[in-house]
Amino acid sequence: MVRAGLTTERLARAGAELADEVGFEQVTVSALARRFDVKVASLYSHLKSSQDLKTRIALLSLEELADRGAAALAGRAGKDALTAFADVYRDYAREHPGRYAAAQFRLDPEAAVASAGGRHSTMTRAILRGYDLSEPDQTHAVRMLGSVFHGYVSLEMAGGFSHSQPGSQESWSRILDALDALLRNWPAP
């Protein structure tokens, strides 16, 4: 018998909340069952496995992040757009550390195509149109921005910048200035 009120969407949202509380790697169907005070077997009518749960959390996280990115980019261009987009990633990671980790979860090809991951790439490319980059430089720049954003956020969340001055906000601002300058003066091949 399926417990009233439990849906796949509700379980994914509860899993995302759990990820923010205990870490994405700690999320399992068993942990979710304890949260709802139900037997693990009762969740299997909604979820196939812990892998399925993690995939659903990842999809939810990518969607939330894409929605925030789209809202932040509306009406912005150039450095203003770059900074707003970068701040979305950093702020999301701070507010939702487990969901942010889920957004990095490796999806199978079918799930990846159906995810909001494509929206992230499209938004990044929209920012780069303001810098007049053509292919393959645009693809290189998309990868560079993703690497810098994720790398900085990951190191900051791990406490890597908490022990020295200047503060991490000042470094973040300087890095975004440097990225803007680099994109405006992209080196020729």
Side-chain angles (χ1 to χ4, degrees), residues 64-104:
E64 289 176 346
L65 200 47
D67 289 347
R68 285 184 180 205
L73 288 177
R76 291 190 163 101
K79 183 181 177 195
D80 189 34
L82 175 69
T83 300
F85 195 62
D87 285 343
V88 162
Y89 280 84
R90 188 172 180 225
D91 293 345
Y92 188 79
R94 288 171 159 177
E95 293 169 32
H96 301 290
R99 293 178 200 214
Y100 182 77
Q104 312 308 315

Side-chain angles (χ1 to χ4, degrees), residues 17-19 28 75 84 95 118 120 125 129 138 142 164 168 186:
E17 291 168 10
L18 184 61
T28 62
E95 293 169 32
H120 293 264
R125 287 178 185 278
R129 279 196 295 276
Q138 196 174 93
V142 167
S164 62
S168 63
W186 192 264

